[in-house]
Amino acid sequence: MELKATLSKKFKDFTLEADIAVRADRCGVFGPSGSGKSTLMNLLAGLQRPDHGRIELAGRVLFDAAARIDLPPEERRIGVVFQHSHLFPHLNVRKNLFYGWQRTRASERWLDPESLIQVLDLGHLLTRGVASLSGGERQRVALARTVLSCPRLILMDEPLTGLDEALKYQIIPYLKKVFSEFDIPLLFISHSMQEMRLLTEEVLVFERGRVRESLPAEALARQQLGTGSRGYANLITLRDPRPQGDLWSYRWGGLEFIATDSGNSGDNLFELGAKDITLFKRHPEATSARNLIACRVESLFGEGNRVGVELSCPGGRLVSQIVPDSVRQLELREGTGVTAVIKASALRRLY
Amino acid sequence: MSLLSPQDLQAIWLSAKVACAATLFSAPFGFAAAYLLVFVRLPGKAVLEGLINLPLVLPPVVVGYLLLLLFGQQGGVGPLLDNLGIRVVFTLTGAVIASAVVGFPLLVRALRIGMEGIDHHYLQASRTLGARWWDTLFTIILPLSSPALFAGMTLMFARSLGEFGATIILAGNIPGVTQTIPLAIYDYTNTPGGDRMALSLCLVSIVLSFVVLLASEAANRSFKRRVA
C-alpha cells in the first residue's frame, strides 16, 4: 500500500490536521475516542469533504483541493467496514455479500467469492435474513461484503469494539486469515492496543486531530508499559496441548509451558501479563508457580517507576515488568541470567 | 329496488378512478420531494417545505380557487394545456389534480418520516461498495422507505376519496363526469327526500374507507415482517 494524505478539516470544537504517509500493508490508527480517527476514515473514503489537502492512493489522486479533484466514494475503491456492521436489512446475507461485487467491473474482480465465503465460514448463512445473525456473524458478513467489492484499501472503523471479549477473539483469526490470504491493504482504526498488535504492523498514533507519531505496534505497546493502566501483555503462541493432571502442558519452542486453559491441537495464542512474570536471581527450589524458565536479560526499558525487562528464553522473548528497586537488588543488566517464574493461571488463552 | 341508483354507481366508480389516478400520479413526485427534503442540502428548504405543506392547512376551497385561477382560460397554465388539447376545468382531469394537490402533503409527510428513519450509514455503506447516488436511491432508500411510501399512498387515497372543496370548484359537480361520492352526497342533501340515498352513499363511503384502512394495516404488517 502506498497511501499519502494531507488533510485538514475544521469543526466547531475540533480541527483535524493530518499528514500521513503509509507504506505498511497493515497499518493501524490508534488513539483515544474523539481524537479524529473516524473523521480521518470518512475523509479518506469520501464520505466527508476535507477543507484542504490531497489524498493519493497507489499513485492515484483521489482528492486534491487545489486541482479541484474530488472523487465520489464509489470511485475511490476504498472499502469500509463500519463499527456496527450496517448490513442492509432488506436484503438477505447473499444479496448483502454480493452488493459490492455486482457493482465491480469484471476486469477488477480479482478474487474468488467461494473461497472468501469458505475462509469466513459463511456458507451456511447465505439464505438467512440479516436480522437473525449474531454479532460475530454480522461482522464477518460485513467484512466479506467489503472484500468482495475488490477495494484497493480497506478501512475498518473499530469493527470489534461492540463485541464482547470472547467473540472478539473468535473474529480476529478470521480477520488475519482474510488479510493474509487475500492480499488487501488495511487501515485499522481502534483504541485497543491488543487489536493493534494482533492485526497491524505499523501504527499511526492520533492525538487531538494530529498524528503524534508512527511506529511499529510492538514498540507502541512497550511505550505504554509506563503509562497504560493495564501494562504490557506478552502475546505468545503455544502448541499441542497435552493433559497433565488437571492442567495442560503446551510446547513453546523447546520448552514446556503449564497452563490452566485447554486449547486446540494447533497454534494457540495466549496472553501473559508482564507483571505476572516474577524474576528470581537463582532457581527457587520450591514454588507454587508451575513454570520456571531460565533466561537471560536482553534489555531494560521503560520509564518512571516501572521497568520492562526483555528476556531471551529458549522458546522466544518475554517481557517482565518490575520496579527500579528490584532491578538494583537483582543487579540486572544485559546478559544477566535469571529465572522467570510464572503461574499456570497467569496464562490466558485468547484463541 | 336497489339501494344504489346507476348514478350512484357511477359516482363510486369515478371516486375510485380519481383517487387511484391522483395517488399513483403523485407517488413519484412525493418520493422525489421527500428525498429532496431529507437527503439533499438545499438553500431555501424551509420555503419548499412550506409550499408542499400549504394545502394541508389552507381551506380546500381556497386551494380549488387558486387552481381554477391557474388552470382557467386567463391563468398561466390553462391556455398552454389547451393548446395541447388538455382541458382541466370541469373535467375528470381537474378532479384528479384537485385531489392530488390536496393529498400531496399527507404523502410527503409519511414518506419523510420513513426516510428520516433510515440510518445514513446504510447509504454510506452502499456508496463505498460502489453504488452511485441513483443506484443507492433505488436499491437502498426506495426499498427501506417502501412501508412509508405505502402508508403515505393509503392516506392520500383515503383523503382523495373524501375530497370535496377543491374538487367542486375546479371540476364542478357534473353527474357522470366529475361527480364523486362526496359531491353526490352533497347533491342528495340538497334534494327533498334525498336523505335515504345520501345515507346509502355514506355507508359506501364508510365501507370503502374501512377497507383501505384494513388493507393498509395488513400490508404494513407484512412489510415489517419482511424487513425484520
Side-chain angles (χ1 to χ4, degrees):
Chain A
M1 158 163 68
E2 209 172 346
L3 174 68
K4 276 186 265 174
T6 317
L7 298 164
S8 79
K9 183 154 181 81
K10 243 182 132 82
F11 296 94
K12 244 186 263 158
D13 45 0
F14 165 80
T15 306
L16 181 116
E17 294 273 2
D19 197 348
I20 58 177
V22 181
R23 297 194 72 100
D25 262 346
R26 274 178 255 161
C27 180
V29 178
F30 181 80
S33 47
S35 58
K37 303 188 303 281
S38 294
T39 306
L40 175 74
M41 182 197 79
N42 285 339
L43 295 178
L44 290 175
L47 300 172
Q48 276 180 315
R49 201 169 181 282
D51 298 335
H52 310 283
R54 187 183 149 87
I55 304 170
E56 194 183 316
L57 174 64
R60 188 162 162 256
V61 179
L62 306 181
F63 178 85
D64 190 335
R68 294 175 166 273
I69 298 173
D70 182 12
L71 294 187
E74 65 269 21
E75 281 172 29
R76 296 197 178 194
R77 307 192 54 74
I78 292 182
V80 180
V81 179
F82 297 89
Q83 182 179 347
H84 306 286
S85 50
H86 294 297
L87 300 177
F88 304 130
H90 58 297
L91 302 177
N92 68 12
V93 171
R94 181 192 290 281
K95 285 183 178 154
N96 263 286
L97 284 180
F98 286 94
Y99 189 90
W101 174 263
Q102 283 162 351
R103 286 160 179 78
T104 306
R105 257 183 251 132
S107 57
E108 279 167 355
R109 293 175 182 167
W110 51 264
L111 63 84
D112 170 29
E114 286 312 314
S115 62
L116 179 73
I117 287 170
Q118 206 175 5
V119 166
L120 284 172
D121 194 16
L122 297 171
H124 60 292
L125 301 174
L126 292 177
T127 55
R128 294 253 295 269
V130 295
S132 67
L133 301 179
S134 70
E137 288 167 342
R138 295 178 72 84
Q139 275 313 18
R140 267 150 56 203
V141 174
L143 172 66
R145 178 176 75 170
T146 302
V147 173
L148 278 175
S149 67
C150 302
R152 300 210 173 110
L153 165 69
I154 289 189
L155 305 177
M156 297 188 94
D157 185 12
E158 312 231 1
L160 305 172
T161 299
L163 307 173
D164 63 45
E165 285 276 293
L167 210 51
K168 188 155 121 179
Y169 291 113
Q170 270 171 35
I171 292 187
I172 286 176
Y174 282 118
L175 283 176
K176 291 186 80 133
K177 221 154 81 183
V178 167
F179 285 100
S180 64
E181 275 184 38
F182 306 94
D183 185 24
I184 312 168
L186 166 69
L187 200 63
F188 186 84
I189 297 171
S190 176
H191 61 257
S192 153
M193 176 67 70
Q194 213 68 304
E195 291 170 17
M196 284 295 156
R197 289 171 69 197
L198 290 171
L199 291 165
T200 67
E201 299 152 5
E202 201 184 308
V203 179
L204 300 172
V205 182
F206 248 68
E207 212 174 67
R208 271 172 270 131
R210 275 160 221 274
V211 179
R212 195 187 69 201
E213 59 186 327
S214 156
L215 72 179
E218 180 61 27
L220 176 67
R222 291 191 180 192
Q223 206 181 62
Q224 300 251 318
L225 178 106
T227 52
S229 55
R230 290 183 60 186
Y232 178 91
N234 293 283
L235 296 173
I236 52 178
T237 306
L238 305 181
R239 299 177 56 83
D240 307 330
R242 277 178 297 110
Q244 190 163 10
D246 43 10
L247 298 174
W248 295 85
S249 153
Y250 290 84
R251 260 184 336 106
W252 186 48
L255 278 180
E256 292 267 298
F257 238 118
I258 307 289
T260 47
D261 293 352
S262 65
N264 298 326
S265 54
D267 286 359
N268 295 276
L269 189 76
F270 277 82
E271 181 185 60
L272 171 60
K275 50 178 180 267
D276 293 331
I277 301 178
T278 314
L279 299 183
F280 284 73
K281 194 148 190 185
R282 273 175 293 277
H283 192 289
E285 277 169 17
T287 160
S288 63
R290 290 296 86 196
N291 299 295
L292 291 95
I293 301 169
C295 36
R296 206 163 42 78
V297 175
E298 194 68 32
S299 66
L300 297 162
F301 61 90
E303 52 195 88
N305 60 3
R306 278 175 265 190
V307 179
V309 184
E310 187 180 9
L311 303 165
S312 153
C313 319
R317 301 250 158 135
L318 288 175
V319 171
S320 165
Q321 180 199 307
I322 56 178
V323 291
D325 265 354
S326 313
V327 177
R328 279 191 292 278
Q329 218 164 50
L330 292 170
E331 294 167 326
L332 294 183
R333 62 182 69 86
E334 259 178 56
T336 314
V338 286
T339 300
V341 174
I342 302 156
K343 290 179 155 198
S345 58
L347 285 152
R348 195 167 76 92
R349 181 169 176 266
L350 300 180
Y351 62 80
Chain B
M1 188 187 138
S2 90
L3 220 60
L4 298 164
S5 69
Q7 198 184 322
D8 293 345
L9 291 173
Q10 218 163 23
I12 294 167
W13 170 235
L14 279 177
S15 276
K17 242 173 43 178
V18 167
C20 282
T23 307
L24 292 177
F25 175 74
S26 303
F29 295 101
F31 187 78
Y35 177 80
L36 282 180
L37 289 177
V38 176
F39 293 110
V40 182
R41 235 185 260 167
L42 284 175
K45 205 187 245 187
V47 176
L48 177 68
E49 202 179 339
L51 272 177
I52 291 173
N53 279 325
L54 207 53
L56 196 65
V57 287
L58 276 181
V61 176
V62 173
V63 176
Y65 187 64
L66 291 176
L67 286 174
L68 185 65
L69 289 182
L70 186 69
F71 287 104
Q73 284 307 317
Q74 318 299 323
V77 187
L80 225 92
L81 287 177
D82 226 19
N83 285 341
L84 295 170
I86 302 171
R87 295 217 34 202
V88 172
V89 179
F90 299 133
T91 65
L92 195 65
T93 314
V96 172
I97 288 175
S99 279
V101 172
V102 172
F104 196 67
L106 294 172
L107 175 69
V108 175
R109 234 151 221 268
L111 262 169
R112 223 183 111 173
I113 292 168
M115 284 185 187
E116 277 168 351
I118 298 176
D119 190 334
H120 277 236
H121 284 100
Y122 291 137
L123 317 186
Q124 296 188 335
S126 141
R127 296 298 295 277
T128 58
L129 287 169
R132 292 174 191 284
W133 72 266
W134 48 264
D135 190 354
T136 302
L137 176 67
F138 286 111
T139 57
I140 307 295
I141 297 177
L142 180 60
L144 287 181
S145 55
S146 59
L149 176 63
F150 188 77
M153 285 174 73
T154 324
L155 261 178
M156 188 173 170
F157 185 84
R159 177 71 185 82
S160 300
L161 278 181
E163 212 319 287
F164 179 83
T167 311
I168 200 165
I169 292 196
L170 187 64
N173 186 359
I174 311 163
V177 182
T178 64
Q179 191 178 64
T180 53
I181 299 174
L183 298 175
I185 294 174
Y186 172 69
D187 255 7
Y188 280 129
T189 54
N190 283 333
T191 319
D195 291 356
R196 206 185 53 79
M197 298 303 280
L199 204 62
S200 48
L201 269 184
C202 282
L203 271 177
V204 171
S205 215
I206 290 169
V207 170
L208 265 178
S209 306
F210 207 66
V211 167
V212 170
L213 269 180
L214 284 182
S216 139
E217 262 314 296
N220 213 356
R221 231 171 288 144
S222 92
F223 269 127
K224 273 200 189 121
R225 221 175 305 130
R226 233 179 42 194
V227 172

